[in-house]
Amino acid sequence: MQKYRAAAAAPKAARTPRLRLDTRTEDWDEIDPVVSEPKRVTAPPNPGTPTATGEGLIAGVRPGVCQVYAQGVISTCRSMPGLAVGDLVRFDTTAVRQILPRRTTLSRPDPRNPRLERLLAVNVDIVVNVVSVSSPPLRPGLIDRYLVAIRRGGADPLICVNKSDLLQDARELDILDIYRDIGIPVVLCSAATGAGISDLMDTLTGLTCVFTGHSGVGKSSVLNAICPALALPIGEVSSGADRKGRHTTTSSSLHMLANGTKVIDTPGIRQFGLWEIGAGDLQAYFQEFERFALRCTYADCTHTHEPGCKVEEAVRAGDIAAERFASYRRIRETLLE
Ligand code: GDP
């Protein structure tokens, strides 16, 4: 039986709207990086303790300096090129000396110089992509971009749908079944009412996770709901017609929660470029295509125009969600630019 509404005709690649990485909308990148002070939620450091050295965890980075967490103490010392929040390092009293191998990364191209990788966080178990029911509206296309970036970096994704208190009709969230069907956990919550926050916390306990999402979705509010001691600043969503939100966090910062969970807050963004993913590699990140793609007439089928494309057939038959297929084609176009 078909799963999704069958697509009448496959979307034409040439007609799909182009998503461009528009630096003009990336307010965050216009701001000089400033690290928000990591909060000590665990035992505060003893003021008499000498600066820790040895192995540590990078809690914040700004030009030239970084904050290293080790043995319950946060020290500030000289940074080194390529350092990212979440890095495990060897350091001494003056500087970070070595970055230890990374398990996972979450990165995107620097909007001002797309040839440079901008690491949002490293060594995370889970990337929590925070979205909101409305204000700003749910944008599955942006979720799909995040999912590609998350999978590329090796972490597991979780979709956190905030502002459930604004939900008018539960059917508005039917679109999220597409993600549940492909095995991605979806947690519905409201930072405003507290609904779903303990479910989210249960899922994350003991892990290192990074929270990321479009500005204004309530990412900081959700983090504060999880751990009020964080006291992250909350922004107002712009009242303009686009309700795009504005950026309150200006760079990534790591926070240790009392239960051992480590959370990394990242700047809110409006468009998410993909780092070092070729158009030909893209389908690997749309895992539900795979079993159909294996039967395409051409082994190197791009699923855009080829005869005998089983992926397009599956979309027409409702076995692959048309929305995901449209995302694949839009993202592919941007990668070809
Ligand atoms: P961020 O930019 O994603 O970090 O978003 P903020 O946490 O700064 O919140 C942006 C706006 O959304 C603020 O006006 C919050 O009060 C509001 N907000 C956050 N969470 C909720 C929620 O669960 N429900 C409602 N109705 N508003 C929320």
Side-chain angles (χ1 to χ4, degrees), residues 82-324:
L83 198 62
V85 170
D87 262 328
L88 288 168
V89 297
R90 292 217 171 85
F91 73 110
D92 60 28
T93 47
T94 54
V96 168
R97 300 293 174 191
Q98 188 189 359
I99 301 174
L100 299 178
R102 293 169 175 152
R103 286 186 296 125
T104 63
T105 57
L106 179 67
S107 52
R108 65 175 188 142
D110 185 317
R112 280 177 293 201
N113 181 356
R115 273 181 241 154
L116 282 183
E117 179 179 22
R118 185 170 296 207
L119 284 160
L120 293 170
V122 301
N123 293 327
V124 296
D125 302 299
I126 293 192
V127 179
V128 181
N129 180 202
V130 185
V131 298
S132 58
V133 163
S134 65
S135 194
L138 195 63
R139 287 176 56 200
L142 189 55
I143 296 177
D144 291 325
R145 282 192 156 250
Y146 272 108
L147 292 179
V148 172
I150 295 166
R151 290 282 189 218
R152 184 196 175 278
D156 287 328
L158 183 149
I159 301 171
C160 167
V161 188
N162 186 36
K163 307 198 186 182
S164 62
D165 56 294
L166 299 181
L167 193 61
Q168 312 240 315
D169 179 345
R171 282 173 299 185
E172 288 169 39
L173 298 183
D174 284 353
I175 184 91
L176 295 166
D177 287 341
I178 291 174
Y179 300 103
R180 294 190 182 95
D181 287 348
I182 56 173
I184 295 167
V186 179
V187 177
L188 184 62
C189 72
S190 165
T193 67
I197 294 295
S198 60
D199 293 343
L200 180 62
M201 199 57 230
D202 289 349
T203 316
L204 304 178
T205 298
L207 301 175
T208 302
C209 38
V210 55
F211 279 63
T212 180
H214 191 291
S215 47
V217 294
K219 178 170 54 65
S220 308
S221 304
V222 169
L223 282 168
N224 286 342
I226 286 175
C227 180
L230 292 177
L232 299 172
I234 302 302
E236 287 305 316
V237 176
S238 70
S239 54
D242 62 359
R243 298 179 81 77
K244 278 184 171 170
R246 70 176 175 82
H247 309 306
T248 46
T249 309
T250 53
S251 70
S252 301
S253 56
L254 182 141
H255 309 275
M256 314 283 292
L257 307 193
N259 65 1
T261 308
K262 299 181 189 96
V263 294
I264 298 174
D265 188 18
T266 60
I269 56 161
R270 290 181 181 157
Q271 292 193 345
F272 196 85
L274 295 174
W275 173 251
E276 277 197 344
I277 293 174
D281 307 329
L282 184 63
Q283 63 168 314
Y285 300 102
F286 286 76
Q287 63 267 41
E288 72 271 39
F289 292 8
E290 189 184 0
R291 68 192 171 102
F292 302 101
L294 288 172
R295 293 190 284 114
C296 286
T297 302
Y298 300 103
D300 58 352
C301 185
T302 63
H303 323 307
T304 55
H305 62 278
E306 295 89 343
C309 173
K310 299 297 177 195
V311 170
E312 286 206 50
E313 245 174 53
V315 176
R316 281 196 294 273
D319 292 325
I320 288 176
E323 293 85 348
R324 287 272 293 166

Side-chain angles (χ1 to χ4, degrees), residues 28-36 61-63 112 118 250-251:
W28 164 56
D29 293 290
E30 304 308 322
I31 301 168
D32 283 330
V34 177
V35 173
S36 57
V61 183
R62 64 177 147 188
R112 280 177 293 201
R118 185 170 296 207
T250 53
S251 70

Side-chain angles (χ1 to χ4, degrees), residues 13-28:
R15 302 231 171 109
T16 50
R18 294 187 161 220
L19 274 181
R20 293 189 64 88
L21 187 64
D22 183 352
T23 52
R24 287 169 307 171
T25 63
E26 301 251 13
D27 296 355
W28 164 56

